[in-house]
C-alpha cells in the first residue's frame, strides 16, 4: 500500500506543465500567473488629495486660524493651473492633483468659506497631511502579483490599477466520464431495479467548474469493452487530463481495468487513505488519467487529494492543497490507524473562537448526505486511530462556514 503523501508526490511529479500566454485583465480571474506582474509606473501616478478641502502651504497654517486667498477650484480629473504661493490656497477635491507649491490639504470641515474668495483655515497642518504621494501605493519595479498565484477578484483589481494583462498558464481541459452498468442519468425519474443516479459526474463537473477549467463530458459508459475503449480513446484525444469514476476497485466484474491496461500505461494503486483506497493513475496516449473509485465520497476525497492539486500543479500554482488549520474534536471517534482518515465534519465556534468539529453524518464512502453538510475534513493521520472530545485535530477546509446572519 502507498502512503497518501507518496501517492501525491508521484502524481505531481508526473504531471506535465501547460504552456502560458498573456490574457486580458477581464479574462484573468481564476487563472494562475506564470511570471510575476511587475509595475512599470507608480501608483498613484501623481500627488493628489486624500480629502475634499484646501491645498495649502503647511507653514501658512502655523498660526491658525488664518485667512487665505482662494486661487481656483480643482476637481478630480482636472489639472490645477495656478501655483499656490504664501497667503493663498486652492479648493481641491479627493483624488485631484495637488497644485504646485502646496504641500498639505486642510479638510473642508476645518475651514470656513468667507466672502469674495477668501477662506479661513481653522487648524494647523504639517507638510504632507492629507496628500497621497506619487508612488505611495506602488513604485516601479514592485511585484504586484507573484508567479504561481491563482488570481482572485482582489488581484484582478490590482492588475486593473496598473493596466497589465497577466501572463497565465493555459487551462487544462478535463474529460470526465462515469462508468458502470448500474449508473443512469440524474434526470431519470423512476429508477429501474438495481440502478442508481450518476452523482459522480455532477460532482466532478461542478468541482472542475469551481476550479475554472473547461470540461469535456463524455457521459455514462456502461460495462462494455468496446464502449469503454472508444470513450477512453476519445477522452484522451480531446483533453489534457482524463478523469473517470468506477471500476477500479478489487472485486470488480467490469472491464475498466482491462481496458485501461490495454490502452495505456496505468497502474492500480492501493492508497492508505479512507475513503478512496483504490485508485488508478497513469497515461493514455500520453494524457494523464485518473481512475477514481466509484463510491461518491471516495470520488470526492480522491479528487480533492489527487486531481485538484495535480491540475493546479499543471498550471504552475504555488499552493496546491487546501488550507489546514488546527481545531478541536467535539466528540470521540475511532478510525483505522493504518490509514489517513478523512472524516466529514461540521464546524461550530467555541468561546475562544476555535472551530469545534463534529461528524456531519454517516462516514461510509457511499453516504453523500453527510458530505453536502460538511465544511471540512478532520484529518486523522496514520498511527493515531482514535480521538477524544477536546483533542486537537487538523481541519482541512473545503468550504468556510457561512458568515453571520443579520438576526443574531
Ligand atoms: P465501483 O468503483 O465501480 O466498484 O463502484 C463502487 C460503488 O460506487 C458502487 O456502489 C457503485 O454503484 C457506486 N458508483 C459508481 N459510479 C457511480 C456514480 N457515477 N455515481 C454514483 N455512484 C456510483
Ligand atoms: Mg462499477
Amino acid at each position: 500500500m502507498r502512503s497518501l503523501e507518496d501517492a501525491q508526490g508521484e502524481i505531481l511529479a508526473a504531471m506535465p506543465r501547460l504552456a502560458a500566454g498573456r490574457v486580458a485583465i477581464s479574462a484573468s480571474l481564476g487563472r494562475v500567473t506564470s511570471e510575476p506582474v511587475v509595475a512599470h509606473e507608480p501608483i498613484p501616478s501623481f500627488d493628489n488629495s486624500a480629502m475634499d478641502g484646501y491645498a495649502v502651504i503647511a507653514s501658512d497654517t502655523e498660526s491658525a486660524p488664518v485667512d487665505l486667498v482662494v486661487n481656483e477650484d480643482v476637481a478630480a480629473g482636472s489639472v490645477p493651473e495656478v501655483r499656490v504661493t504664501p497667503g493663498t490656497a486652492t479648493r481641491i477635491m479627493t483624488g485631484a492633483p495637488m497644485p504646485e507649491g502646496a504641500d498639505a490639504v486642510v479638510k473642508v470641515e476645518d475651514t470656513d468659506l468667507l466672502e469674495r474668495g477668501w477662506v479661513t483655515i481653522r487648524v494647523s497642518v504639517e507638510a504632507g497631511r492629507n496628500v497621497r504621494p506619487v508612488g505611495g501605493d506602488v513604485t516601479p519595479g514592485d511585484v504586484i502579483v507573484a508567479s504561481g498565484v491563482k488570481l482572485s477578484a482582489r488581484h484582478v483589481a490590482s492588475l486593473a490599477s496598473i493596466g497589465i494583462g497577466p501572463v497565465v498558464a493555459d487551462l487544462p481541459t478535463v474529460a470526465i466520464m462515469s462508468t458502470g452498468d448500474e449508473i443512469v442519468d440524474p434526470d431519470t425519474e423512476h429508477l429501474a431495479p438495481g440502478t442508481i443516479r450518476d452523482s459522480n459526474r455532477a460532482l466532478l463537473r461542478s468541482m472542475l467548474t469551481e476550479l475554472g477549467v473547461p470540461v469535456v463530458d463524455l457521459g455514462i459508459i456502461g460495462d462494455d469493452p468496446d464502449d469503454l475503449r472508444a470513450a477512453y480513446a476519445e477522452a484522451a484525444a480531446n483533453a489534457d487530463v482524463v478523469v473517470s469514476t468506477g471500476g477500479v476497485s478489487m472485486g470488480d466484474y467490469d472491464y475498466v481495468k482491462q481496458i485501461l491496461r490495454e490502452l495505456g500505461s496505468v497502474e492500480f494503486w492501493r492508497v492508505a487513505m479512507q475513503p478512496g483506497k483504490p485508485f488508478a493513475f497513469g497515461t493514455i496516449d500520453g494524457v494523464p488519467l485518473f481512475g477514481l473509485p466509484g463510491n461518491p465520497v471516495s470520488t470526492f476525497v480522491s479528487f480533492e487529494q489527487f486531481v485538484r492539486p495535480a491540475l493546479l500543479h499543471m498550471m504552475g500554482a504555488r499552493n496546491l492543497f487546501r488550507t489546514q488549520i488546527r481545531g478541536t474534536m467535539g466528540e470521540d471517534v475511532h478510525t483505522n490507524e493504518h490509514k489517513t482518515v478523512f472524516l466529514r465534519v461540521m464546524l461550530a465556534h467555541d468561546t475562544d473562537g476555535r472551530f469545534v468539529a463534529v461528524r456531519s453524518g454517516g462516514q461510509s464512502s457511499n453516504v453523500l448526505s453527510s458530505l453536502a453538510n460538511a465544511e471540512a475534513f478532520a484529518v486523522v493521520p496514520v498511527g493515531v486511530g482514535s480521538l477524544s472530545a477536546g483533542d486537537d485535530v487538523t481541519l482541512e477546509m473545503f468550504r468556510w462556514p457561512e458568515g453571520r446572519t443579520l438576526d443574531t
Side-chain angles (χ1 to χ4, degrees), residues 179-183 223 245-249 252-254 256 294:
T179 70
D181 274 343
E182 77 280 31
I183 313 299
D223 283 319
T245 73
V248 297
S249 50
D252 266 310
Y253 287 93
D254 51 23
V256 173

Side-chain angles (χ1 to χ4, degrees), residues 220-297:
I220 300 162
I221 316 297
D223 283 319
D224 174 273
D226 292 334
D227 290 351
L228 286 166
R229 207 176 281 120
Y232 278 109
E234 188 188 343
N238 291 292
D240 301 299
V241 172
V242 178
V243 181
S244 66
T245 73
V248 297
S249 50
M250 290 295 132
D252 266 310
Y253 287 93
D254 51 23
Y255 294 102
V256 173
K257 286 172 119 169
Q258 180 195 319
I259 300 301
L260 287 177
R261 280 205 183 88
E262 172 191 322
L263 282 181
S265 112
V266 177
E267 287 183 45
F268 297 88
W269 293 358
R270 289 160 66 237
V271 183
M273 66 194 272
Q274 193 184 326
K277 183 178 72 172
F279 178 71
F281 180 68
T283 56
I284 297 180
D285 299 331
V287 177
L289 165 109
F290 294 82
L292 309 187
N295 272 309
V297 182

Side-chain angles (χ1 to χ4, degrees), residues 139-335:
T139 54
D142 279 358
V143 174
I144 303 290
V145 184
S147 186
V149 171
K150 194 162 194 299
L151 295 170
S152 69
R154 291 163 290 110
H155 293 116
V156 177
S158 277
L159 296 173
S161 76
I162 200 84
I164 298 178
V167 176
V168 297
D170 290 350
L171 293 169
T173 298
V174 181
I176 60 173
M177 65 177 111
S178 294
T179 70
D181 274 343
E182 77 280 31
I183 313 299
V184 298
D185 194 88
D187 290 334
T188 307
E189 228 175 291
H190 301 289
L191 289 174
T195 64
I196 60 168
R197 294 191 186 87
D198 180 6
S199 57
N200 286 349
R201 214 157 34 92
L203 179 74
L204 289 177
R205 206 186 312 110
S206 304
M207 288 193 293
L208 291 165
T209 302
E210 280 180 1
L211 201 54
V213 305
V215 175
V216 175
D217 190 342
L218 292 161
I220 300 162
I221 316 297
D223 283 319
D224 174 273
D226 292 334
D227 290 351
L228 286 166
R229 207 176 281 120
Y232 278 109
E234 188 188 343
N238 291 292
D240 301 299
V241 172
V242 178
V243 181
S244 66
T245 73
V248 297
S249 50
M250 290 295 132
D252 266 310
Y253 287 93
D254 51 23
Y255 294 102
V256 173
K257 286 172 119 169
Q258 180 195 319
I259 300 301
L260 287 177
R261 280 205 183 88
E262 172 191 322
L263 282 181
S265 112
V266 177
E267 287 183 45
F268 297 88
W269 293 358
R270 289 160 66 237
V271 183
M273 66 194 272
Q274 193 184 326
K277 183 178 72 172
F279 178 71
F281 180 68
T283 56
I284 297 180
D285 299 331
V287 177
L289 165 109
F290 294 82
L292 309 187
N295 272 309
V297 182
S298 307
T299 292
F300 179 72
V301 175
S302 308
F303 183 91
E304 283 280 309
Q305 299 304 317
F306 302 131
V307 183
R308 189 175 175 279
L311 295 174
L312 287 167
H313 188 64
M314 288 178 86
M315 293 188 268
R318 269 192 317 191
N319 299 324
L320 307 179
F321 298 99
R322 300 279 193 193
T323 302
Q324 290 188 341
I325 61 171
R326 297 297 283 168
T328 307
M329 199 65 212
E331 59 187 352
D332 296 349
V333 286
H334 299 283
T335 62

Side-chain angles (χ1 to χ4, degrees), residues 52 62 76 100 107 140 158 167 169 254 307 311 317 331 352 367 391:
D52 294 333
E62 267 166 26
E100 291 210 16
K107 60 178 192 279
S158 277
V167 176
D254 51 23
V307 183
L311 295 174
E331 59 187 352
D352 297 332
V367 178
D391 281 354

